[in-house]
Amino acid sequence: NAGVTQTPKFQVLKTGQSMTLQCAQDMNHNSMYWYRQDPGMGLRLIYYSASEGTTDKGEVPNGYNVSRLNKREFSLRLESAAPSQTSVYFCASRAIEAFFGQGTRLTVV
Amino acid sequence: AQKITQTQPGMFVQEKEAVTLDCTYDTSDPSYGLFWYKQPSSGEMIFLIYQGSYDQQNATEGRYSLNFQKARKSANLVISASQLGDSAMYFCAMREGAAGTYKYIFGTGTRLKVLA
């Protein structure tokens, strides 16, 4: 019973580098979400996917792209990382309550 | 305007006592859901309790209860008989939208410290 799995758990990038955060869930949920968590700001929604094949912008989508590869997987891509994207990233999926991954701590230097 | 407001950045409570964490929300949707999550220092987000906007009774889950006052738009979390392991960050969240287009909005959190 893995739930929601995120990789990697930690990452350091240089400004301008690109990377993809991976997320997979094994609970057959339709909806999946990417959030970022910054001190004093709670969790802010970056993008979400209501179902396979659909994605929508959340509150803070700039600088990110997403792909809903299939029902299980929802990836978040940073094309050109900026220091302002240093954050902890959470992927979530759900039926009623959200199931969260363990988070990815990303530092952009 | 803030949709979810948690006005207590930090709270202390003595072990074995009860504590209330405040949450107010703002929405014009008639159908919504309210949630509380716990985030310990290890970083994971743990679901605690859910209250639907049409639920007549306050939700309870073990030592957690949600004091839902719809007219006041408040959804306070009550933790009874606090334990040292309850020390964590607590987030209130609201689900808006129709099925298939749900979005979660989170408050800024309350850090709870349980004292021995």
Side-chain angles (χ1 to χ4, degrees):
Chain A
N1 56 336
V4 181
T5 304
Q6 281 181 243
T7 55
K9 288 191 168 44
F10 299 95
Q11 184 71 48
V12 178
L13 289 178
K14 291 184 178 177
T15 299
Q17 285 185 320
S18 62
M19 79 158 294
T20 300
L21 280 63
Q22 307 286 355
C23 175
Q25 52 98 4
D26 61 3
M27 295 171 285
N28 205 36
H29 290 159
N30 286 320
S31 303
M32 296 185 74
Y33 302 77
W34 275 105
Y35 291 89
R36 60 178 288 173
Q37 183 180 23
D38 302 293
M41 301 194 76
L43 277 78
R44 293 181 294 168
L45 182 64
I46 305 170
Y47 270 93
Y48 68 103
S49 170
S51 61
E52 185 180 351
T54 69
T55 61
D56 285 286
K57 294 178 181 179
E59 183 185 354
V60 287
N62 291 344
Y64 306 95
N65 285 303
V66 290
S67 295
R68 183 73 183 268
L69 304 169
N70 46 56
K71 194 170 188 179
R72 287 189 65 247
E73 298 172 290
F74 188 37
S75 61
L76 178 73
R77 181 159 180 86
L78 287 70
E79 291 291 351
S80 178
S84 61
Q85 294 177 305
T86 294
S87 187
V88 180
Y89 291 85
F90 285 96
C91 175
S93 76
R94 74 164 163 38
I96 298 290
E97 75 274 22
F99 292 85
F100 282 83
Q102 297 277 34
T104 296
R105 187 171 295 276
L106 175 68
T107 302
V108 182
V109 298
Chain B
Q2 291 265 28
K3 288 212 162 189
I4 293 282
T5 303
Q6 293 180 254
T7 56
Q8 307 153 312
M11 290 278 287
F12 291 94
V13 64
Q14 207 65 39
E15 195 179 9
K16 299 187 181 129
E17 291 186 350
V19 63
T20 298
L21 306 184
D22 294 341
C23 174
T24 57
Y25 61 92
D26 183 27
T27 182
S28 55
D29 281 358
S31 176
Y32 53 90
L34 297 157
F35 302 76
W36 278 91
Y37 288 87
K38 174 184 179 181
Q39 186 180 43
S41 57
S42 51
E44 72 268 32
M45 295 287 284
I46 303 167
F47 166 74
L48 295 178
I49 198 166
Y50 164 78
Q51 179 86 41
S53 59
Y54 293 118
D55 293 344
Q56 296 294 317
Q57 292 190 320
N58 287 343
T60 60
E61 289 285 348
R63 293 186 300 109
Y64 304 108
S65 60
L66 199 153
N67 184 1
F68 181 44
Q69 298 188 42
K70 197 169 183 176
R72 294 181 59 190
K73 294 190 173 178
S74 75
N76 298 339
L77 177 70
V78 180
I79 305 174
S80 62
S82 297
Q83 301 172 356
L84 296 178
D86 293 335
S87 293
M89 195 78 169
Y90 288 81
F91 290 98
C92 179
M94 177 172 65
R95 183 196 69 212
E96 281 189 312
T101 62
Y102 286 146
K103 282 198 274 191
Y104 274 112
I105 303 161
F106 283 79
T108 52
T110 295
R111 186 170 298 281
L112 177 67
K113 176 74 175 170
V114 180
L115 304 172

